[in-house]
Amino acid sequence: MPRRERRVQLMESALEVFVVHGYHAAAMDDIADRAGVSKPVLYQHFPGKLDLYLALLDESCDTVIDNCRQALASTNDNKLRVQATMQAFFDYVSSDTGAFRLVFESDLTSEPAVRAHIDRVTTECAAMIAEVIHEDTGLPDEASRLLAVALVGMAQVSARFWLGEDGVSSGAIPLEDAAALVSGLAWRGIRGYPKSEDT
């Protein structure tokens, strides 16, 4: 198998193991077994378990940030932007891969490199949202950033709560309705900041 394809295969297998067992309980033996390769093959691609975890985490963080970027760029209507962004977070946590657990529920947050990756999601998503808030309202950068962080936090926490502790939604509120409910709350709050006269 070509090196790039093998790396993808190993990362997919590792994701399954990390999602089920968490970082601490996952073993490189389990990941190699899941991938159907020997441990030396696994170590040819990743020198250690943390390297593999960080590679997965980086990919997962990029996905969340890219989803947020696409949601913001999908329209110039700010109400629809809020809806699209909230929907992006709900869609992400409901994905069958369970990759959201690496980003939002990691059992390795005491590791500085992991913490930095996880914080990057909030920082980069909030920076994009803050830019829109600042441009539309004329609020100072710090105020725009604080509001943006609040919106990102609302999206992350509500989406994880909706999904439930077992990683499966109860179905009491369908995905689209849940995202719409939270985006409605967010929009009612953020629309209270009037557009600046020069936008």
Side-chain angles (χ1 to χ4, degrees):
M1 183 180 290
R3 184 171 178 81
R4 180 174 292 187
E5 289 179 25
R6 175 68 77 192
R7 182 180 171 88
V8 169
Q9 178 208 17
L10 295 173
M11 288 180 69
E12 287 173 353
S13 298
L15 177 60
E16 293 173 14
V17 173
F18 284 131
V19 165
V20 172
H21 300 291
Y23 178 83
H24 294 293
M28 292 294 267
D29 285 323
D30 298 332
I31 295 167
D33 287 346
R34 180 70 59 98
V37 300
S38 65
K39 254 174 66 172
V41 169
L42 180 56
Y43 281 113
Q44 285 173 4
H45 292 265
F46 301 98
K49 186 166 75 164
L50 181 58
D51 299 288
L52 178 51
Y53 190 83
L54 289 174
L56 279 170
L57 185 56
D58 200 39
E59 189 175 82
S60 298
C61 291
D62 284 346
T63 299
V64 179
I65 293 164
D66 288 344
N67 291 351
C68 184
R69 181 179 293 108
Q70 289 172 24
L72 289 170
S74 65
T75 178
N76 289 323
D77 181 309
N78 285 332
K79 181 178 181 180
L80 296 179
R81 273 182 173 149
V82 170
Q83 291 173 356
T85 304
M86 291 296 169
Q87 186 70 52
F89 278 91
F90 276 80
D91 287 343
Y92 183 71
V93 301
S94 67
S95 167
D96 291 340
T97 67
F100 80 94
R101 293 195 181 284
L102 300 184
V103 183
F104 300 139
E105 298 178 3
S106 175
D107 61 346
L108 195 61
T109 53
S110 60
E111 169 64 41
V114 172
R115 182 79 255 157
H117 277 70
I118 294 169
D119 288 346
R120 183 169 70 87
V121 171
T122 300
T123 301
E124 292 195 23
C125 288
M128 290 184 278
I129 295 169
E131 187 176 339
V132 174
I133 292 171
H134 174 72
E135 287 175 359
D136 279 3
T137 66
L139 285 171
D141 288 340
E142 287 301 320
S144 297
R145 194 174 304 120
L146 181 58
L147 290 173
V149 168
L151 290 171
V152 171
M154 180 188 293
Q156 289 180 11
V157 173
S158 59
R160 285 168 47 215
F161 178 82
W162 168 81
L163 187 63
E165 291 182 10
D166 59 356
V168 180
S169 168
S170 67
I173 304 177
L175 172 66
E176 299 289 333
D177 294 346
L181 193 64
V182 176
S183 66
L185 173 63
W187 174 244
R188 285 179 183 87
I190 199 66
R191 75 176 180 189
Y193 295 90
K195 284 194 169 191
S196 61
E197 293 180 2
D198 56 345
T199 58

